[in-house]
Amino acid sequence: MTTPQLAFGIDIGGSGMKAATVDLSTGELVTERYRIDTPQPATPEAMAAVVVDLVRHDEWTGTVGCAFPAVVRNGIVGSAANIDESWLDVDADKVFTEALGQDVHMINDADAAGLAEVRFGPEAARKGVVMMLTFGTGIGSGLFVDGVLVPNTELGHLELDGPDAEKRAAASARKRDDLSWAEWGKRVHRYLEHVEALFSPDLFIIGGGASKRTEKWLDQVDISTEIAVASMANNAGIVGAALIAP
Ligand code: BGC
């Protein structure tokens, strides 16, 4: 038997920071997923301390991949919709690498989730124009053309029925506005219909927390584009982060 190639991934979200060691040949988590609440305020220093705790918990000593809920270009944070504003223009690779004493590479969270689905998900994810959309605190997007990522699309911030589509159609909007799953599903339908008209993708992959409950709302979505539910549900961010670690 060959030794599995392992990597460590962290998925940073608005409410939790989750991590595990991942087998890169199968996409499976080989350690139990470990979660720590995202510190509030979620400043670089506070989050760096949690990153150190997550890595030490698994006794991981190598390079770390980290999915982050913002635009990240060459390690530098370029937006701050659902994170503390003090992150703007910060070199997150550097902050986390210095705190940890091990190399950390950052990637946008939806881009990471999409990478995981493209690698380990259905065959259809590797062909044509594929749009990963994650419904959680915000809406994240990852655009792939024949399996190649176009990084940092921010389609949660399309203007639709108000300034920011994610304010109405993210999973957090369901709780905030006290909506039934069906009512919220109608908002997602309207959002997907809009993105479909703008991009004509071959496939949408739905991820994020709300992808675990699709039986409650996906019947409200009536579009012609094929829809797949993320095959690794909420672990896609961790797995995608691990993929960029080595
Ligand atoms: C951020 C994106 C992120 C998404 C999901 C949005 O508010 O702007 O960068 O991917 O939330 O976390």
Side-chain angles (χ1 to χ4, degrees):
M1 217 175 83
T2 50
T3 319
Q5 198 199 347
L6 303 180
F8 192 79
I10 302 178
D11 186 12
I12 295 185
S15 57
M17 296 173 59
K18 294 146 276 182
T21 305
V22 176
D23 180 339
L24 293 184
S25 59
T26 61
E28 278 161 20
L29 308 192
V30 298
T31 57
E32 207 168 315
R33 178 176 134 120
Y34 184 54
R35 180 190 187 279
I36 298 178
D37 280 349
T38 304
Q40 303 299 338
T43 58
E45 296 68 31
M47 280 176 148
V50 176
V51 164
V52 173
D53 288 347
L54 290 167
V55 176
R56 300 285 180 258
H57 177 265
D58 264 28
E59 298 177 353
W60 182 259
T61 53
T63 304
V64 170
C66 188
F68 199 69
V71 168
V72 188
R73 294 175 71 204
N74 304 318
I76 298 173
V77 177
S79 68
N82 288 312
I83 52 171
D84 195 77
E85 287 209 346
S86 57
W87 270 109
L88 260 187
D89 299 326
V90 166
D91 187 336
D93 275 18
K94 188 158 175 259
V95 170
F96 287 169
T97 296
E98 282 178 4
L100 190 62
Q102 292 158 229
D103 274 347
V104 182
H105 300 300
M106 311 289 293
I107 181 172
N108 170 265
D109 55 0
D111 288 351
L115 282 180
E117 293 294 331
V118 163
R119 176 73 69 90
F120 302 110
E123 181 61 34
R126 290 179 276 282
K127 285 189 303 243
V129 177
V130 174
M131 177 92 64
M132 173 90 208
L133 291 171
T134 61
F135 293 84
T137 308
I139 297 177
S141 59
L143 177 64
F144 294 82
V145 183
D146 290 334
V148 177
L149 172 66
V150 180
N152 290 311
T153 55
E154 283 283 313
L155 301 184
H157 301 291
L158 280 177
E159 295 193 13
L160 180 68
D161 299 332
D164 236 10
E166 74 171 17
K167 291 276 180 290
R168 283 183 58 76
S172 55
R174 188 182 65 82
K175 295 180 191 141
R176 186 200 59 220
D177 294 349
D178 203 17
L179 303 175
S180 68
W181 282 102
E183 286 166 325
W184 180 71
K186 288 191 175 73
R187 291 188 181 185
V188 177
H189 164 77
R190 181 151 165 69
Y191 176 68
L192 290 178
E193 197 179 36
H194 189 59
V195 179
E196 176 184 58
L198 296 177
F199 287 87
S200 300
D202 296 301
L203 175 70
F204 282 117
I205 306 177
I206 305 292
S211 65
K212 288 183 291 190
R213 312 295 294 274
T214 44
E215 77 285 356
K216 293 192 174 290
W217 59 270
L218 200 54
D219 58 348
Q220 301 298 324
V221 177
D222 182 19
I223 57 175
S224 46
T225 306
E226 198 188 326
I227 297 178
V229 177
S231 62
M232 47 189 80
N234 234 359
N235 286 337
I238 295 177
V239 175
L243 280 172
I244 64 141

